[in-house]
Amino acid sequence: MAAGLLAAALALSTVPAWAGKKDDTLRMAYDQAPESVDPYFNNVRIGVIIAANVWDTLLYRDPLTNEYKGQLAESWKQIDDKTIEFELRKGIKFHNGEPFDADSVVYTLTFVSDPKNKATTQQNVRWIERVEKIDPYKVRIVTKEPFPAAKEYLSTTVAIHPARYYKEVGPSGMNAKPVGTGPYKVVDYQPGKSITLERNADYFKASPKTQPRIGKVVIRFIPDRQTQMAEVISGQEDLIMHVPKDQAEQLASMPNLQVVSGNTMRIVFMQMNILPNTPAPQLKDERVRKAIAHAIDRDAIVKNIVGGDARILNTICTPSQVGCTDKGATVYNYDPALSKKLLAEAGYPNGFDIDIVAYRERNQTEAIINYLRAVGIRAKLNFLQYAAMRDMIRAGKAALTHQTWGSNLVNDVSASTPVYFAFGSDDVTHDAKVKELLDLGDRTIDSAKRNEAYRQALDLIAQHAYAVPLWSLPVYYVASNEVSFRPYPDELLRFWEMSWK
């Protein structure tokens, strides 16, 4: 593998390297392209990264202390169990010159929280009942039910758009020509190819985000991993991420590069479609689902393929999230003999054929497939871009899915488990009792009762093997030695903090 990487680098050696601090432009490659740059119509990680750098939120959560700070809001107070009032900052302008005010907040949140507008990340705003303008710089957000995680969402994923511009152009126009208030502004966007961000020289000084240091950031969407690595080796890219463990370890020996890794909030799991229209009726049998869980040697995959400080999961949530627990949950240890026995009891002594859909970490998917085949489950890989995979799941056309979820930065169970088990568009299980418990957890103010509701829901999911929890996903970053940056557990690249050495 190392020889292949070096050969690729030599093949590009006649091309002059142009990445680096010489022209104050950070160049990055990423394997997935966002379906939209509007943060409410995207949930691919690179879109989340772009959103955090181009837009601001009312609040800001410090990634190290988890403290909430005012961002577009100067201050806030809880009026009652369902109402938060915000005093907004004055003098802030969007990248197009439109002033930020209460109208920006009211229009944005009213529009995206309306289900008829079909926001892709509906789960991030579905809790909003209404937004009220008190005066030009004061608003109130009223939730449908008591929602203790409100500040978590308002500090991470709920970006604010310019009211007049958004009303005029809508999500498609916001995607074509994005406009935020953030530390970087979009100066060029070629859908599916690249996006160029430029430092916002007028970024407001009171923001808890630092003033951006690097002048430009160019992100190219390059699906082929080998091409990405060849370009970072030859100096045409400054930064790539999600590099497989073995390749990252080899790149670490190159003097012009640095390799940094860290565990993240992202969880890896397998969805199993048991709805009436599932393309794999075998999955409706609980014994088959348990057989799949017992067939996979999670410890071996983590040790040999995932690497880093990945953690084995036994429930479908991020361990750091409020409300996440695996206490008392059923654990499915690697046991291929038991897996075969369960398949035989379910009427499949010779196994069966099934498709598995995935969109990233292909080497992990292939390892899972090998383990499934060893017990007679002949899985065939369908590897897609995220949006295509998601659309297959929502259309009921995906049977088995190798899935990951980063919770859109939100460190609360409401942003993970309910997305896949509360009857939303990504739920392929539809257990009414699980939904009832998750809904109870979402709206319960008392923390002990809230945690208990989530625990019971997670226990039911594990007990019936509705999904296969696998591991947390560490990220390996490979960057030029000229770049100074820090990885965070939320998997967010804060370009505004980066600088040249």
Side-chain angles (χ1 to χ4, degrees), residues 13-294:
S13 61
T14 57
V15 180
W18 62 74
K21 62 182 179 181
K22 187 175 181 180
D23 62 354
D24 195 21
T25 301
L26 177 79
R27 289 179 170 85
M28 175 185 174
Y30 197 85
D31 61 346
Q32 300 273 322
E35 57 188 310
S36 173
V37 180
D38 184 331
Y40 294 103
F41 293 83
N42 158 83
N43 51 16
V44 176
R45 175 54 46 169
I46 191 61
V48 175
I49 291 170
I50 292 167
N53 285 276
V54 174
W55 282 273
D56 290 316
T57 47
L58 290 174
L59 305 180
Y60 179 79
R61 187 192 69 204
D62 187 296
L64 300 178
T65 67
N66 289 324
E67 175 190 1
Y68 297 121
K69 300 177 179 179
Q71 192 166 358
L72 292 175
E74 190 171 52
S75 62
W76 64 96
K77 62 181 177 181
Q78 194 85 35
I79 303 298
D80 56 43
D81 284 352
K82 298 197 294 182
T83 308
I84 309 177
E85 185 175 276
F86 297 88
E87 292 281 353
L88 306 179
R89 293 190 192 277
K90 299 173 183 173
I92 297 174
K93 289 188 176 182
F94 287 92
H95 300 149
N96 65 351
E98 183 176 330
F100 162 76
D101 56 19
D103 292 336
S104 313
V105 179
V106 173
Y107 185 80
T108 301
L109 300 191
T110 301
F111 179 86
V112 299
S113 63
D114 187 340
K116 74 180 182 184
N117 293 319
K118 298 180 179 179
T120 302
T121 55
Q122 187 66 38
Q123 68 273 6
N124 292 338
V125 289
R126 65 181 179 179
W127 49 273
I128 297 173
E129 173 67 29
R130 65 184 184 276
V131 187
E132 302 171 348
K133 176 181 176 180
I134 308 303
D135 66 37
Y137 290 95
K138 183 183 292 186
V139 298
R140 286 183 176 180
I141 297 177
V142 182
T143 64
K144 295 175 181 176
E145 301 282 351
F147 188 61
K151 289 192 286 294
E152 184 67 18
Y153 286 81
L154 293 169
S155 65
T156 51
T157 67
V158 183
I160 304 301
H161 291 324
R164 290 199 296 274
Y165 180 68
Y166 203 41
K167 187 174 184 179
E168 175 187 343
V169 305
S172 61
M174 185 61 76
N175 175 52
K177 293 187 177 180
V179 174
T181 58
Y184 282 90
K185 54 187 177 182
V186 178
V187 292
D188 182 69
Y189 177 42
Q190 305 295 323
K193 296 181 180 179
S194 68
I195 188 166
T196 301
L197 312 180
E198 184 179 274
R199 178 171 50 212
N200 178 9
D202 298 319
Y203 190 54
F204 65 104
K205 301 296 190 291
S207 174
K209 295 178 181 177
T210 61
Q211 294 295 304
R213 302 177 188 178
I214 292 177
K216 279 189 178 181
V217 178
V218 177
I219 304 169
R220 296 171 63 210
F221 310 121
I222 303 176
D224 184 67
R225 180 67 65 188
Q226 300 302 319
T227 301
Q228 285 190 30
M229 290 189 291
E231 292 200 2
V232 79
I233 290 170
S234 64
Q236 295 183 75
E237 302 291 346
D238 294 299
L239 176 64
I240 58 177
M241 62 188 293
H242 301 138
V243 180
K245 169 181 175 288
D246 60 336
Q247 297 169 10
E249 290 170 347
Q250 291 156 3
L251 292 174
S253 65
M254 298 187 176
N256 63 317
L257 300 176
Q258 56 177 313
V259 175
V260 181
S261 69
N263 204 7
T264 70
M265 292 171 60
R266 184 170 297 274
I267 60 173
V268 185
F269 59 100
M270 293 174 68
Q271 283 184 281
M272 295 185 279
N273 186 344
I274 65 171
L275 297 179
N277 65 342
T278 177
Q282 301 93 333
L283 297 177
K284 293 181 181 179
D285 193 312
E286 189 170 306
R287 293 167 296 187
V288 170
R289 301 196 299 272
K290 290 180 176 179
I292 290 172
H294 282 300

Side-chain angles (χ1 to χ4, degrees), residues 349-413:
N350 299 315
F352 55 87
D353 297 316
I354 193 170
D355 287 338
I356 182 169
V357 182
Y359 77 109
R360 56 180 287 174
E361 321 305 333
R362 184 170 185 148
N363 57 341
Q364 296 179 24
T365 315
E366 290 170 346
I368 290 169
I369 287 173
N370 288 336
Y371 280 112
L372 293 176
R373 287 178 177 169
V375 299
I377 301 172
R378 297 172 294 278
K380 179 183 177 183
L381 176 60
N382 186 5
F383 197 78
L384 303 168
Q385 285 280 304
Y386 176 80
M389 181 194 77
R390 184 202 63 218
D391 290 347
M392 275 191 71
I393 296 169
R394 293 182 175 182
K397 296 178 179 178
L400 197 59
T401 307
H402 178 207
Q403 177 72 276
T404 83
W405 183 244
S407 294
N408 285 305
L409 315 177
V410 179
N411 208 19
D412 189 274
V413 163

